[in-house]
Amino acid sequence: MLHGRIDGKAAIPARDGRTIARIVRVNHAGEFGAIRIYSAQIVVSRWFWPDCVPALVDMLEDERRHCDLLFDAMPERKSRPCRVMRFWSYGGWLLGFLTALLGRQGIWACTAAVEAVVHRHLDDQLHFLKGRDPDLSDIILSIRDEEIAHLRHAEERLVSRSVAFVALRGIISLATDTLIWLSTWGDSTRMARALEADGR
Ligand SMILES: [Fe+2]
Ligand SMILES: [Fe+2]
């Protein structure tokens, strides 16, 4: 069974179409969560760590643009925002708020952990999209470049190698994966399975 494309581009198998719709939905939820994380960190940083604010504002602008790009990519791929965006909304805000209260190292540990998880997901997706959806591939490539810049910025500032911050980074990675799973009702797992079935 083939999954038609409304703009007249080549039809792709229905299963691939569903995976592509999931990719857009998962990424849109993630970008929304990133917006909430950086927004909360900016609120705290304006009070306690004002030197972090300019970089966080730049990253927030990037995340807003990423979110808009993915939202615009949804209709053509028969995708919709996930049903429980509030998980990302409250979870992301709380994560940003609490890590910012820990200080600059908390902020950069959070950014490094989240961006590393995002980077891993994007690489998997790019592999899957190759030859299937070049337009979405281009969007994700442009987003990935900026996520790598966020990751580098955080890692360059992450000087603490204490057990507490290493553990914090691990916990945030796990929390990010869990939030992705919850916010998409397991779509991220089904997507990973689909990517695996594709030979990853
Ligand atoms: Fe982003
Ligand atoms: Fe980012």
Side-chain angles (χ1 to χ4, degrees):
M1 186 182 160
L2 295 178
H3 183 87
R5 295 279 294 274
I6 56 173
D7 60 357
K9 287 177 191 165
I12 54 168
R15 204 183 67 159
D16 290 355
R18 284 195 296 274
T19 302
I20 289 170
R22 277 177 195 139
I23 286 174
V24 183
R25 185 161 53 239
V26 169
N27 291 9
H28 176 260
E31 299 295 352
F32 184 72
I35 289 171
R36 299 287 287 161
I37 290 170
Y38 288 125
S39 298
Q41 289 183 334
I42 288 168
V43 168
V44 177
S45 296
R46 285 199 201 284
W47 282 93
F48 300 110
W49 336 108
D51 52 301
C52 295
V53 172
L56 293 172
V57 168
D58 282 351
M59 290 180 191
L60 177 62
E61 278 173 19
D62 289 345
E63 308 303 359
R64 285 201 171 119
R65 196 172 52 258
H66 301 167
C67 199
D68 289 346
L69 279 170
L70 291 159
F71 185 77
D72 291 344
M74 283 180 159
E76 190 187 327
R77 294 166 182 85
K78 297 183 170 51
S79 186
R80 285 188 305 258
C82 73
R83 289 156 287 184
V84 282
M85 290 291 275
R86 63 182 179 278
F87 276 123
W88 269 111
S89 182
Y90 300 139
W93 207 90
L94 194 64
L95 187 61
F97 185 78
L98 293 176
T99 52
L101 284 180
L102 293 173
R104 296 175 183 84
Q105 291 301 293
I107 290 172
W108 302 128
C110 175
T111 299
V114 171
E115 298 289 357
V117 170
V118 167
H119 189 217
R120 172 164 48 82
H121 280 281
L122 297 187
D123 273 352
D124 284 351
Q125 295 167 5
L126 283 167
H127 178 84
F128 178 81
L129 292 171
K130 213 173 177 182
R132 289 184 169 103
D133 192 334
D135 292 347
L136 184 58
S137 234
D138 287 346
I139 291 171
I140 291 180
L141 271 173
S142 72
I143 288 174
R144 190 184 64 163
D145 285 346
E146 291 181 341
E147 308 298 15
I148 290 172
H150 298 172
L151 178 60
R152 290 215 177 109
H153 184 94
E155 285 188 328
E156 280 164 14
R157 280 153 190 80
L158 200 55
V159 290
S160 176
R161 294 281 177 263
S162 74
V163 175
F165 278 106
V166 172
L168 179 70
R169 199 171 160 173
I171 290 165
I172 294 170
S173 296
L174 190 66
T176 307
D177 268 327
T178 307
L179 273 172
I180 290 173
W181 195 90
L182 285 173
S183 66
T184 60
W185 290 108
D187 257 354
S188 61
T189 307
R190 285 191 284 274
M191 191 178 80
R193 279 200 200 117
L195 299 179
E196 252 174 52
D198 190 54
R200 286 284 294 181

